[in-house]
Amino acid sequence: MSDDPLPPSSPTPAPGRPAVRTAAVIPAAGRGVRLGPGAPKALRALGGTPMLVHAVRAMAESRAVSLVVVVAPPDGAGEVKSLLDTHALPGGSWGNTDVLVVPGGESRQESVKLGLDALPEGYDIVLVHDAARPLVPVDTVDAVVEAVRDGAPAVVPALPLADTVKQVEPAATPGEPEPVVATPDRSRLRAVQTPQGFDRATLVRAHATVTDDVTDDASMVEQLGLTVVTVPGHEEAFKVTRPLDLVLAEAVLARRRLNDGF
Ligand code: CTP
Ligand code: MG
């Protein structure tokens, strides 16, 4: 057996060569305030199955992902662990993917950091995937992993925008008219999704260095001065944020069931 490291661009390792191992961190510790009262968002049902279970399955479905670290609500790690045990395959497995559960923090950023801290050695690529994007197709996951394997330190799935976006001077009182300051050229804007993929060392450095509040992990890597690249996102990777998104998610699941039936 050769000791040569696997070239990062190899999609399938040659027999006997070590693969670049990939783990996914799933921040699932949010309350889901915008979804309205109820259980933490990640634990709410979609098609009768908790959103988090869909998200774990979506990661485990990728042959590249061999470990999923679920970041649970701070006081709910035990509950999440038994919930996941209930939904695992017979024998308690998720195919070839291991699942770990750790408690999260006050902000998404803190939760991701706690997930990264729990990541064992031996995983050189890390995906960060919102539990709130339960329906991401496996092809999107694989495209992100492949772009990191090809050498990008940070990769985000992205889609063009349907709406024109205005920059405003935010009003002091919500609902008051707000002056428009600028209209960015829509053709140069993208809406980004998850999973976002990273060279592990880069993401760890970003989380150790950047202390500003951010809404995604890739922007922390941008702050390090590194180039983040996009790959095509998918409309089914939308984030469940407000009640109407649940209606859309149920419709997507119904369409999948119908397509699987034929
Ligand atoms: N998240 C987390 N820890 C937090 C806050 C958010 O792990 N302290 C996770 C959420 O569980 C979710 C993802 O980050 O999977 C994206 O966040 P968002 O969609 O904003 O979810 P919530 O914060 O739960 O929703 P809201 O902002 O409406 O309360
Ligand atoms: Mg939030």
Side-chain angles (χ1 to χ4, degrees):
M1 200 204 295
S2 159
D3 287 327
D4 292 350
L6 181 73
S9 58
S10 300
T12 329
R17 300 249 182 128
V20 180
R21 294 214 291 169
T22 301
V25 172
I26 301 188
R31 294 235 28 98
V33 172
R34 288 169 290 178
L35 205 52
K41 180 160 74 181
L43 306 185
R44 299 207 207 178
L46 265 190
T49 303
M51 217 180 291
L52 173 62
V53 172
H54 289 283
V56 172
R57 283 182 187 153
M59 295 300 108
E61 204 181 324
S62 167
R63 288 182 52 199
V65 176
S66 49
L67 173 69
V68 173
V69 179
V70 171
V71 188
D75 54 357
E79 186 192 341
V80 164
K81 213 179 164 327
S82 38
L83 183 96
L84 290 173
D85 287 344
T86 315
H87 286 87
L89 297 172
S93 86
W94 295 83
N96 295 322
T97 305
D98 295 324
V99 175
L100 266 179
V101 179
V102 298
E106 282 305 307
S107 65
R108 181 185 182 282
Q109 207 169 346
E110 204 182 319
S111 294
V112 172
K113 169 87 163 55
L114 290 165
L116 278 178
D117 289 347
L119 208 61
E121 287 303 305
Y123 294 89
D124 293 327
I125 297 177
V126 181
L127 305 180
V128 180
H129 180 62
D130 292 331
R133 298 182 189 272
L135 302 181
V136 61
V138 69
D139 289 353
T140 307
V141 181
D142 288 341
V144 170
V145 174
E146 189 154 330
V148 182
R149 282 184 180 165
D150 283 348
V155 178
V156 297
L159 288 178
L161 298 186
D163 294 324
T164 296
V165 173
K166 302 284 185 194
Q167 186 182 339
V168 299
E169 190 55 50
T173 320
E176 286 294 304
E178 299 176 319
V180 170
V181 176
T183 304
D185 174 7
R186 189 176 70 188
S187 69
R188 298 174 69 92
L189 297 176
R190 301 287 181 268
V192 305
Q193 306 177 321
T194 73
Q196 299 190 347
F198 304 90
D199 159 61
R200 177 188 182 158
T202 303
L203 185 60
V204 168
R205 185 155 67 89
H207 272 271
T209 317
V210 178
T211 50
D212 307 357
D213 273 351
V214 293
T215 53
D216 80 338
D217 300 277
S219 61
M220 307 176 83
V221 173
E222 290 164 49
Q223 288 194 45
L224 295 181
L226 297 174
T227 301
V228 175
V229 298
T230 67
V231 295
H234 196 286
E235 60 179 1
E236 292 183 3
F238 67 94
K239 186 153 72 81
V240 175
T241 306
R242 298 179 187 84
L244 192 59
D245 299 323
L246 284 176
V247 178
L248 180 60
E250 294 287 357
V252 170
L253 280 178
R255 184 172 69 177
R256 285 186 187 176
R257 276 195 289 268
L258 206 63
N259 289 343
D260 287 350
F262 291 96

